[in-house]
Amino acid sequence: MVALRSVRTLVLSAGGAVLLVGLLFGVLLPSAHAQSQRADDMFYGRLGGGLSDFTSDLSSWRPTHPFGGGKFTRGAGPPFVFVGEVGYQFSPHWALGIGIQGGNYPVEVYPEIEGISDSYRYTPRVLGRYTMGGGAVAPYVDLGVHATLGGDRPPTRIGAGPSVGGGVDIRLGRAASLYVESRVNLTVPSGAVDGSDSGTRFDVTGQLLGIGLKVHFTAPTPPRIIRLEGPDTLDTGTSVTFAATVNEEAADRPLDYQWDFGDGATATGRTATHAYDRPGRYVVSFSARNRAGTAEASTAVVAEPPPEPPQIATARAAPEPVAAGAAVQFSAAATGGNPIAYEWRFGDGASAEAASPTHTYEAPGTYTARLRVSNPDGDDTRTVTVRVARPAGADTSGAAAAAQNPTDSSGTGPPAVPPADTSAQERWGIVVASMSEEGQAAPVARRYRERLPEPLRVEVRGAESDRGVRRHRVVIGPFEGTEAAQQVLRERAEMLPSGAWLLRLE
């Protein structure tokens, strides 16, 4: 008897060791198998077998028990069970199954119960199963109810009771896994299995140690990331779009998409838009997940400060008009990233590299000064028109001055203007428009009268050009001397056209 108990203890210890190892694997390995998240929402089937175990009112552990060797010689057969089950996996953790356990439970062919010579019993059952963890190796426990029947004739009858089991599920692939388990089926009434109502209050038809294969009838397809699209570099503060290409046609739905931009921000969807506030290197991560598993991919992006090309804010020349030989002060201001370089070309072949240079024109005429500013991010240009008049005393006639100015051949451009030291006894006006029809000039004059404050006067003056064409000029004035006229030009620059010029009035 001691030997038989040792054998049974050894087998039970082996089964317990298998379950313990499976539990340790299930606890320690999930992080290493994060991509092996178990599937859900599918049907499955299980088929296996193992060693049977039977405890009842009869003397199960006598020397003639199967483990003692006597039953094999008497023809009752080895203690074995076969197991079959079909079920539905609701989630990676929960499942519901319907199955049957059948096998041989030989106990000296029940000699104490007359007429019972059949040692085969069959146990249909319904089980709820909970799987721990989601890795490749996962322990599980289950609980359910069963009915046990078998035996060749009465006094055996159908019994029922709870079924408790546990084991380890070892994933072999997307559609199959290997399991090792042990199970106990408690059966009442006491005589349902062995026909004996004496002794214990229940009988046990168990699976001491079993092994089998689990197959998924509907194998889910996990997501696969084909490509991530996004910029390698971008400007801070600028929104950019990242996109992922996934095997959407093949992967099981629903699919869950998640973005992590590396700066604490996240987003969902297959495409996402994001802007970085600070410069730096960021790792953009994308994951696609469904019931079959999770796929991940990442890409790096560098956020840089945006370029700041220069823009010219102001560009001026003063005085303007100016007499030939007098100094002209140019000035400019620009915005943008430093350093900003300034280059002036004055229109007479001379140039300077400064923001506010001084230049002297030696000959009268109209010059176009060009300013160019630049920095590493770009450049900007602007022009300033400078009208250079003949010095005082070169000509006293307005008509002659117009003839000598090459830009006024039609009578529309500015005539020569004396410098600021012209006698204060001469009367000057500011020409803001010049037209061939008096009817066109009159409404222009009216608009300037409404726009300009008192005591400024606006009138239309007629004059002959050097080609005999009569022009009608809209003139602001008169002013006593050029200095007074130039002061109005400076003070009312925003209200006057950029081409306004001075005219000596007769």
Side-chain angles (χ1 to χ4, degrees), residues 157-249:
R157 57 191 182 277
I158 297 176
S163 178
V164 181
V168 180
D169 189 279
I170 304 170
R171 186 171 180 178
L172 302 178
R174 288 190 305 163
S177 60
L178 181 71
Y179 70 87
V180 180
E181 69 177 10
S182 183
R183 181 170 307 284
V184 173
N185 302 308
L186 301 179
T187 307
V188 293
S190 175
V193 176
D194 60 7
S196 173
D197 293 321
S198 62
T200 61
R201 296 183 179 179
F202 53 83
D203 295 335
V204 176
T205 56
Q207 178 179 246
L208 192 62
L209 186 64
I211 187 169
L213 185 67
K214 178 181 177 182
V215 179
H216 302 164
F217 296 145
T218 53
T221 301
R224 181 169 58 89
I225 300 173
I226 300 172
R227 183 173 60 256
L228 282 186
E229 295 176 280
D232 297 326
T233 60
L234 53 85
D235 298 334
T236 55
T238 301
S239 295
V240 295
T241 298
F242 296 89
T245 302
V246 182
N247 59 334
E248 288 187 307
E249 297 298 327

Side-chain angles (χ1 to χ4, degrees), residues 26-50:
V27 172
L28 297 177
L29 291 185
S31 60
H33 295 271
Q35 296 299 320
S36 300
Q37 180 184 0
R38 291 175 174 266
D40 58 2
D41 190 24
M42 66 178 183
F43 291 96
Y44 68 87
R46 287 167 37 117
L47 187 64

Side-chain angles (χ1 to χ4, degrees), residues 40-290:
D40 58 2
D41 190 24
M42 66 178 183
F43 291 96
Y44 68 87
R46 287 167 37 117
L47 187 64
L51 294 173
S52 66
D53 184 35
F54 176 57
T55 301
S56 74
D57 304 316
L58 302 180
S59 179
S60 302
W61 304 112
R62 72 183 75 187
T64 54
H65 185 269
F67 292 116
K71 287 310 300 174
F72 297 105
T73 60
R74 301 187 181 202
F80 73 91
V81 291
F82 66 88
V83 178
E85 181 183 318
V86 293
Y88 185 74
Q89 191 83 33
F90 293 96
S91 73
H93 299 293
W94 291 102
L96 179 65
I98 301 174
I100 186 170
Q101 172 183 312
N104 185 30
Y105 306 91
V107 186
E108 195 64 24
V109 193
Y110 307 98
E112 289 85 350
I113 307 300
E114 183 180 356
I116 300 180
S117 58
D118 184 1
S119 58
Y120 287 84
R121 297 293 182 269
Y122 307 95
T123 307
R125 61 192 176 219
V126 178
L127 299 173
R129 180 172 293 111
Y130 178 76
T131 301
M132 292 169 275
V137 179
Y140 63 86
V141 294
D142 56 43
L143 177 65
V145 295
H146 76 91
T148 298
L149 62 154
D152 53 354
R153 57 179 179 150
T156 60
R157 57 191 182 277
I158 297 176
S163 178
V164 181
V168 180
D169 189 279
I170 304 170
R171 186 171 180 178
L172 302 178
R174 288 190 305 163
S177 60
L178 181 71
Y179 70 87
V180 180
E181 69 177 10
S182 183
R183 181 170 307 284
V184 173
N185 302 308
L186 301 179
T187 307
V188 293
S190 175
V193 176
D194 60 7
S196 173
D197 293 321
S198 62
T200 61
R201 296 183 179 179
F202 53 83
D203 295 335
V204 176
T205 56
Q207 178 179 246
L208 192 62
L209 186 64
I211 187 169
L213 185 67
K214 178 181 177 182
V215 179
H216 302 164
F217 296 145
T218 53
T221 301
R224 181 169 58 89
I225 300 173
I226 300 172
R227 183 173 60 256
L228 282 186
E229 295 176 280
D232 297 326
T233 60
L234 53 85
D235 298 334
T236 55
T238 301
S239 295
V240 295
T241 298
F242 296 89
T245 302
V246 182
N247 59 334
E248 288 187 307
E249 297 298 327
D252 281 30
R253 303 295 181 89
L255 282 163
D256 177 63
Y257 301 121
Q258 185 75 30
W259 291 90
D260 185 339
F261 298 108
D263 62 348
T266 59
T268 58
R270 199 168 55 82
T271 62
T273 300
H274 185 63
Y276 291 96
D277 296 329
R278 297 182 178 180
R281 183 181 183 275
Y282 300 90
V283 176
V284 181
S285 301
F286 173 77
S287 65
R289 177 175 301 166
N290 67 3

Side-chain angles (χ1 to χ4, degrees), residues 203-475:
D203 295 335
V204 176
T205 56
Q207 178 179 246
L208 192 62
L209 186 64
I211 187 169
L213 185 67
K214 178 181 177 182
V215 179
H216 302 164
F217 296 145
T218 53
T221 301
R224 181 169 58 89
I225 300 173
I226 300 172
R227 183 173 60 256
L228 282 186
E229 295 176 280
D232 297 326
T233 60
L234 53 85
D235 298 334
T236 55
T238 301
S239 295
V240 295
T241 298
F242 296 89
T245 302
V246 182
N247 59 334
E248 288 187 307
E249 297 298 327
D252 281 30
R253 303 295 181 89
L255 282 163
D256 177 63
Y257 301 121
Q258 185 75 30
W259 291 90
D260 185 339
F261 298 108
D263 62 348
T266 59
T268 58
R270 199 168 55 82
T271 62
T273 300
H274 185 63
Y276 291 96
D277 296 329
R278 297 182 178 180
R281 183 181 183 275
Y282 300 90
V283 176
V284 181
S285 301
F286 173 77
S287 65
R289 177 175 301 166
N290 67 3
R291 61 189 178 127
T294 302
E296 296 179 348
S298 62
T299 184
V301 61
V302 176
E304 300 175 339
E308 295 184 71
Q311 288 187 333
I312 298 174
T314 60
R316 296 189 179 94
E320 203 287 318
V322 66
V328 180
Q329 178 67 56
F330 291 86
S331 61
T335 60
N338 291 321
I340 297 178
Y342 293 80
E343 181 185 18
W344 285 93
R345 295 185 179 275
F346 300 114
D348 61 352
S351 63
E353 294 182 356
S356 301
T358 300
H359 182 65
T360 301
Y361 293 95
E362 300 299 335
T366 301
Y367 298 87
T368 299
R370 181 178 297 273
L371 169 66
R372 179 179 182 270
V373 296
S374 61
N375 69 4
D377 297 321
D379 59 68
D380 190 16
T381 59
R382 186 175 295 186
T383 60
V384 176
T385 300
V386 180
R387 288 161 298 177
V388 181
R390 294 181 182 279
D395 200 327
T396 58
S397 156
Q404 292 172 2
N405 191 330
T407 64
D408 194 34
S409 60
S410 65
T412 61
V417 178
D421 60 357
T422 301
S423 171
Q425 299 301 318
E426 296 177 345
R427 293 159 54 86
W428 291 83
I430 302 173
V431 181
V432 295
S434 179
M435 302 176 181
S436 60
E437 299 291 336
E438 185 176 6
Q440 296 174 336
V444 175
R446 185 168 56 254
R447 286 199 300 271
Y448 276 98
R449 292 190 191 100
E450 296 171 353
R451 185 184 307 175
L452 295 172
E454 295 289 345
L456 293 177
R457 296 173 54 191
V458 181
E459 57 184 9
V460 178
R461 287 176 171 263
E464 295 287 340
S465 70
D466 59 344
R467 297 183 181 181
V469 178
R470 187 166 183 80
R471 306 294 297 179
H472 300 274
R473 296 179 178 130
V474 179
V475 180

